Amino acid sequence: MMTRDVLLDMEQEEDDDEDGDIVLENFDQMVLSSFGTLESQQDLRSPQFEEFNGKPDSLFFNDGQRRIDFVLVYEDESRKETNKKAYNEKQRKKRQAYESNLIHDGLELEATRSVLDDRLVFVKVHAPWEVLCTYAELMHIKLPLKPNDLKTRSSAFGNFAWFSKVLQVDESIIKPEQEFFTAPFEKNRMNDFYIRDKDTFFNAATRSRIVYFILSRIKYQVRENVKKFGINKLVSSGIYKAAFPLHDCKFSCPSDDFSCPNERHLLYMEWAHPRSIYKKQPLDLIRKYYGEKIGIYFAWLGYYTQMLVLAAVVGLACFLYGYVNRNNCTWSKEVCDPNIGGNIIMCPQCDNLCPFWKLNITCESSQKLCIFDSFGTLVFAVFMGIWVTLFLEFWKRRQAELEYEWDTVELQQEEQPRPEYEARCTHVVINEITQEEERVPFTTWGKCIRAVLCASAVLFWILLIIASVIGIIVYRLSVFIVFSAKLPKTFNGTDPIQKYLTPQTATSITASLISFVIIMILNIIYEKVAIMITNFELPRTQTDYENSLTMKMFLFQFVNYYSSCFYIAFFKGKFVGYPGEPVYWLGKYRNEECDPGGCLFELTTQLTIIMGGKAILNNIQEVLLPWVKNLIGRCRTVSGSEKISPRWEQDYHLQLMGRLGLFYEYLEMIIQFGFVTLFVASFPLAPLLALVNNILEIRVDAWKMTTQYRRIVPEKAQDIGAWQPIMQGIAILAVVTNAMIIAFTSDMIPRLVYYWSFSVPPYGNHTYYTMEGYINNTLSIFNVADFKNRSKGNPYSGLGDHITCRYRDFRYPPGHPQEYKHNIYYWHVIAAKLAFIIVMEHIIYSVKFFLSYAIPDVSKITKSKIKREKYLTQKLLHENHLKDMTKNLGVIAESIIGATDTSLRPKVE
C-alpha cells in the first residue's frame, strides 16, 4: 500500500542539518508501508490528552492495558517564554505532522502534561500487536519457536566451578531465563512460534527496539522536494527535548505494581550495589534489560578483569622479588658509596648553566631502579606476551558461547541501514551479485574523494599531537637547564627532599604532568572532530559507523597517550653524542641524557602518572558528573514540591547516556589494555592497578547506568567489533616494545655483558664473575679541554677547576689512538641487545602462534550446539510447513471430491 503521510510544505524554512533529509522521489522506495493515509494537513491526528492517574510506578496508558514502549517529551510552544512566535509555530507544525504520521503508521499515542512543570508534555507511545509483528519480520528479529533443552553452560574455567559457585548470583533472586529455539519472525508462519501470551511474546527491550526503528524513519516535513524524518533530528533541533524507553521501576525499591518484573531493582541490588562487588555479573539479565550490545561489553570487561587476576599476581611477585633483592644490587651500592659515587664527577648535562655534579646524588633513584630493572622484569615481560594471547583466544571462545546463547550468530543478516545513510541514497548502481538496480549515497569517485579527505583530516590531527610531543621535549630541554642551575649541586645526605629532587626527577615529573594535561585537552577536542569526520564518511550501518569511529579515535588516542612513553623508552638519551661534541635540537637545545642507571625509572614515573591520573580522573567524572547534574536537575524541578511524579517524569530528569556512551567506555579500557601490555617491562604493577580499577569500573558503570542514566535503547551486537583486531594488534606490538625496553631502555643487557665478559680477563681484572666495578666501566672519561666547537667557546670553563669528568657511554678515553670512539664494550653490548631482541621475539611469537592455532575460536561443544539448533529449527519449520500444506491439500481435495459427487449425483425427479 502506497504511503501518503502528512508532510509540511515549508519553502521558506531555514536550512537544517542534512541528517534525516531525503529526496522525495526516492523515499517511497525505502520507507515501509504504513497503516493509514492522509490527504492533507486538515487530516492531522493528535494524541489524546489524559491526566496523570496518580500511579507513579505505572508502565501503561491510563487504561491500564496498553504498555508504554517509548516516551517523547516536548515543551508546549504556547507556554514558552519567548518572543519567537513564528519560529515556535513552525516547530509545533513539524511536531504535529510527525505525531500524526506516527499514528497513521500504526502506533498509539497518549499525551500527559507534566506534574512538576506544566510547560512539559510527555507523549507515551505504544506499539500494538500488528505493528510489532510487521516490523519484527522486516527487522529479521529472532523469536522463540519452542523451549530448548540443549543449552548448557561451559567455560574455560569450568574446573573451578566449585569455587566460582560462591561468587555466583543467587538464582532464587535472579531466576535463569528459559532458553528457546529461535528463528527470524514471519507473519505467515505465526503459528510456528511459541506464542503463549501476546503481551509477553515481545519483551520490553524488543518492543523498545522496534518502536525506535519506526521513530527513526517517520517523516514530518517536505521542503524543495526533500523529506525530513527521524526522531534524532527532531531532538537535536529542539522540537522534542528527549526520547527514551522507560525503566521498569525505581532502583532503590521494587514497584507496587505486581505485574512489574522489577528488573531494574534486581540489577541495582545484585549488580550495581557495593555489597555485590565480589559477585559475578548477572549477564543474562543485563542483556535482557539493556540489550546485547551492553551485555557483550560487560561480559568482555568481566572476562578481562578475571584474566587480570593472574597477571596481577605474577606482576606483584616480580615486584616483590625486585624489592626484596634491591639491597643486593651491587651497581646501586657503588652509586651510593661516598668513596665511589661520591668521588665520580659527572660532566654537565647542558651548556653554560649546568654544573659538574657528583654521581651519588642519583643514589635514591638508582635504589628504586633496582626494584624494576631486575631479572624478574624479564620473566614478567615474557609471561605477559603469552598471557595476552591466552586472554584473546579464550575470549574468542567465550564470545562464541555468548553469540549462541544470545542468538546473535547470524546478526549481520539482520542489521538495517542507518536512516542517515538511507537519506542520501540518490545514485543508482547495478548490484554485482543480484544484477539489480540499487541506490547508494555516492559514486565510486565520490567515495574515493571522501576517503582522501577523511584520511587527510586524521593525519593532520596526528601531526598536531606529534607537534605537542615535540613541544614537551623542548620544555624538558629548556627547564632542565633551570633546574640544574637552581637545585643543589652536591648531596650532603641530611636533607630528605634533596634525595628525591634532582634535576632529572624534577624535569621528568613536571613534564609528565604537563603532558597529561595536554593529552586530556587534545582528547576532548579530537572526539568532536572524529565524529564530524565519520559523519562525513557516511557508513552504511551502525556497526560500520562505530567501527570507523573506533579506528579513528584509537589511532589518535594511541599517538596521544603513548607518544611520550615511546619517546622516553626509545629516543631519550640515545642520540646525545658526547660532551666534546653534543647533539643539539633545532640547533639550540642540547639533547636530553638519561640518568646513569638509564631511562627506565623515568618511563615508570611517566606510566604511573598517566595511567593513574587517567583512572582517577575518569572514575571521578563517571561518578560525580551524572550525580551532580541529576541533583541540580531535581533541585530546579521540584523547588520544594512533594508531588508524586509518574515513572516517565522521573526518568526524564535522569541523564542521557547517548549512543556513543558505550564507545567511550570501550576506549577507556583499550587504552588501559595498551598500558598493561605495551610497557609492562618497565612497570610490573600495571596489571594490579588495572585490576583494582576494573573491579571498581564494573560497579561504577553498573551504578551509573542503573541509577543515573535513562534507559538506553536496546541494540543487538554480535561481538565487540573493531576493538578485537585492535587488541590483537596491540598484543603483537607489545612483544616488540617490551623486548626493546629490556634491551635499550633498561641496563640489563650491559650488566649481563659486563658480568660474563668484562669483569674477568681478558677485559677485566677480577678472577671471578662479579658486578663490582660495573659503574666505573660504563662511565667514559672526558677531558674538559677537548670541547671541539671553538666558535661557541668552551661551555665548561668557569664551572670549576675540574680537568676531567665522566659521562654515560662506552667510548675510549682521551689520549687513546681512537679517543672518544666507541670501544669494544659498546659493540659487544649492541650485538647482545640485537641478539636478545631477535631471540625473545621469536620465542614469544612462536608460542603465541602455537597457542592461537591450538585453541580454536569456537569450542567443539559450541559448534555442535549451533549445528544442532539449526538442524532442529529447520526441521521444526519444515514439519510445520508440511503439516500446513497437507492440511490445505486435504481441504482442497475434500472440496474437489464434494464438487465431483455433486456433479455425478443423479437428479432427483
Side-chain angles (χ1 to χ4, degrees), residues 829-867:
V829 169
I830 289 295
K833 287 181 176 181
L834 296 177
F836 170 80
I837 292 174
I838 293 172
V839 171
M840 180 176 173
E841 284 183 359
H842 279 68
I843 290 176
I844 296 179
Y845 280 140
S846 298
V847 174
K848 284 171 67 69
F849 292 138
F850 171 76
L851 291 174
S852 299
Y853 176 78
I855 303 174
D857 293 349
V858 183
S859 67
K860 186 177 180 180
I861 296 175
T862 304
K863 284 182 179 178
S864 299
K865 288 179 181 178
I866 294 173
K867 291 178 181 178

Side-chain angles (χ1 to χ4, degrees), residues 629-660:
K629 288 180 179 178
N630 286 333
L631 182 63
I632 294 173
R634 285 194 296 269
C635 291
R636 287 180 176 177
T637 304
V638 176
S639 300
S641 173
E642 296 183 357
K643 294 181 179 178
I644 297 176
S645 57
R647 170 85 272 132
W648 49 86
E649 191 152 359
Q650 296 173 37
D651 285 5
Y652 170 69
H653 294 295
L654 297 177
Q655 294 300 304
L656 172 66
M657 183 173 179
R659 299 198 71 184
L660 294 178

Side-chain angles (χ1 to χ4, degrees), residues 247-268:
H247 282 297
D248 64 355
C249 66
K250 292 181 180 179
F251 68 86
S252 56
C253 59
S255 172
D256 294 334
D257 187 350
F258 294 105
S259 64
C260 177
N262 294 311
E263 292 173 349
R264 185 190 186 192
H265 175 65
L266 290 177
L267 285 172
Y268 174 71

Side-chain angles (χ1 to χ4, degrees), residues 599-820:
C599 286
L600 187 68
F601 185 68
E602 186 174 346
L603 178 59
T604 303
T605 303
Q606 179 84 358
L607 285 170
T608 304
I609 291 176
I610 294 180
M611 186 177 176
K614 182 177 181 295
I616 293 171
L617 184 62
N618 284 340
N619 281 315
I620 290 175
Q621 285 180 337
E622 290 183 7
V623 173
L624 288 183
L625 284 183
W627 182 77
V628 170
K629 288 180 179 178
N630 286 333
L631 182 63
I632 294 173
R634 285 194 296 269
C635 291
R636 287 180 176 177
T637 304
V638 176
S639 300
S641 173
E642 296 183 357
K643 294 181 179 178
I644 297 176
S645 57
R647 170 85 272 132
W648 49 86
E649 191 152 359
Q650 296 173 37
D651 285 5
Y652 170 69
H653 294 295
L654 297 177
Q655 294 300 304
L656 172 66
M657 183 173 179
R659 299 198 71 184
L660 294 178
L662 197 61
F663 168 82
Y664 296 117
E665 301 293 343
Y666 270 119
L667 184 61
E668 177 187 349
M669 288 295 101
I670 295 299
I671 294 296
Q672 181 208 86
F673 179 78
F675 281 122
V676 168
T677 54
L678 290 174
F679 307 101
V680 75
S682 65
F683 191 34
L685 291 179
L688 179 61
L689 294 182
L691 174 63
V692 174
N693 175 77
N694 287 7
I695 292 174
L696 296 176
E697 180 76 20
I698 291 174
R699 305 304 163 175
V700 167
D701 287 348
W703 173 83
K704 186 174 58 177
M705 287 188 182
T706 309
T707 67
Q708 303 301 309
Y709 284 156
R710 298 170 190 159
R711 189 173 183 177
I712 63 174
V713 179
E715 293 184 61
K716 283 277 187 179
Q718 187 175 24
D719 49 37
I720 61 174
W723 301 112
Q724 183 79 25
I726 285 175
M727 286 195 296
Q728 292 173 338
I730 291 175
I732 294 173
L733 181 60
V735 177
V736 180
T737 55
N738 285 301
M740 293 183 68
I741 286 173
I742 293 174
F744 291 105
T745 309
S746 78
D747 258 11
M748 185 176 296
I749 302 300
R751 289 199 301 270
L752 290 174
V753 171
Y754 175 82
Y755 182 84
W756 292 107
S757 297
F758 285 80
S759 64
V760 295
Y763 301 109
N765 299 322
H766 298 281
T767 57
Y768 56 90
Y769 297 110
T770 180
M771 286 301 296
E772 294 178 3
Y774 171 75
I775 289 296
N776 185 63
N777 195 268
T778 56
L779 295 177
S780 300
I781 302 173
F782 174 69
N783 190 335
V784 175
D786 290 342
F787 188 75
K788 291 189 175 182
N789 195 339
R790 304 297 180 186
S791 62
K792 286 190 174 184
N794 194 325
Y796 307 139
S797 60
L799 297 178
D801 55 355
H802 302 288
I803 299 174
T804 61
C805 60
R806 310 294 290 272
Y807 62 99
R808 175 185 165 83
D809 208 343
F810 306 110
R811 296 178 184 267
Y812 289 112
H816 192 278
Q818 294 182 327
E819 65 175 3
Y820 303 130

Side-chain angles (χ1 to χ4, degrees), residues 259-546:
S259 64
C260 177
N262 294 311
E263 292 173 349
R264 185 190 186 192
H265 175 65
L266 290 177
L267 285 172
Y268 174 71
M269 298 303 296
E270 300 298 324
W271 180 43
H273 198 280
R275 73 179 185 185
S276 302
I277 195 169
Y278 67 93
K279 290 185 178 181
K280 290 187 176 182
Q281 303 179 84
L283 292 176
D284 286 336
L285 184 58
I286 296 170
R287 170 246 182 171
K288 180 183 177 184
Y289 193 76
Y290 289 112
E292 285 77 7
K293 192 171 185 179
I294 296 290
I296 199 73
Y297 164 73
F298 281 104
W300 172 80
L301 182 55
Y303 201 84
Y304 172 42
T305 304
Q306 289 178 12
M307 291 293 290
L308 276 175
V309 173
L310 178 61
V313 170
V314 178
L316 181 61
C318 292
F319 173 81
L320 293 176
Y321 171 83
Y323 182 80
V324 170
N325 291 279
R326 72 189 187 285
N327 294 325
N328 299 327
C329 193
T330 305
W331 63 271
S332 178
K333 291 180 180 179
E334 292 183 351
V335 171
C336 298
D337 191 339
N339 298 320
I340 302 177
N343 291 328
I344 294 178
I345 305 299
M346 301 296 293
C347 296
Q349 293 183 313
C350 64
D351 297 340
N352 298 320
L353 295 177
C354 294
F356 293 92
W357 52 286
K358 292 185 178 180
L359 179 61
N360 66 340
I361 71 169
T362 62
C363 173
E364 192 68 26
S365 61
S366 69
Q367 290 177 343
K368 293 178 181 177
L369 186 60
C370 288
I371 300 174
F372 298 100
D373 196 0
S374 65
F375 179 73
T377 302
L378 171 61
V379 174
F380 187 55
V382 174
F383 166 80
M384 287 300 292
I386 299 172
W387 172 88
V388 71
T389 303
L390 290 174
F391 163 61
L392 293 175
E393 294 304 317
F394 280 124
W395 164 247
K396 289 178 185 177
R397 292 167 66 89
R398 176 60 179 148
Q399 189 170 255
E401 292 175 6
L402 292 175
E403 287 179 20
Y404 167 70
E405 292 169 6
W406 292 354
D407 291 320
T408 59
V409 175
E410 298 176 350
L411 179 64
Q412 298 300 326
Q413 300 176 10
E414 302 177 28
E415 192 165 15
Q416 302 294 321
R418 298 165 62 236
E420 294 84 358
Y421 179 89
E422 291 179 327
R424 307 290 182 82
C425 291
T426 57
H427 298 279
V428 179
V429 297
I430 302 299
N431 188 296
E432 295 180 357
I433 300 174
T434 63
Q435 293 298 309
E436 296 179 356
E437 288 188 352
E438 65 177 14
R439 293 185 178 272
V440 295
F442 30 72
T443 61
T444 303
W445 178 244
K447 188 174 182 178
C448 292
I449 293 176
R450 284 174 179 259
V452 170
L453 291 176
C454 293
S456 301
V458 173
L459 180 61
F460 168 77
W461 278 91
I462 291 176
L463 293 176
L464 184 62
I465 301 170
I466 295 174
S468 71
V469 174
I470 294 174
I472 293 293
I473 295 173
V474 173
Y475 166 82
R476 286 174 174 272
L477 300 176
S478 57
V479 82
F480 179 77
I481 300 173
V482 177
F483 284 134
S484 298
K486 300 294 184 182
L487 294 177
K489 278 70 175 175
T490 59
F491 172 50
N492 57 28
T494 59
D495 187 355
I497 298 179
Q498 185 183 346
K499 294 192 301 181
Y500 303 97
L501 201 58
T502 63
Q504 294 90 345
T505 305
T507 302
S508 175
I509 293 176
T510 56
S512 297
L513 292 173
I514 293 173
S515 176
F516 174 71
V517 173
I518 292 176
I519 284 172
M520 301 309 293
I521 293 173
L522 289 176
N523 186 22
I524 294 172
I525 297 173
Y526 184 74
E527 283 179 5
K528 302 182 184 302
V529 175
I531 292 173
M532 291 173 59
I533 296 173
T534 309
N535 289 339
F536 178 73
E537 196 177 277
L538 201 63
R540 180 177 180 271
T541 64
Q542 184 65 23
T543 299
D544 294 338
Y545 180 90
E546 292 181 1

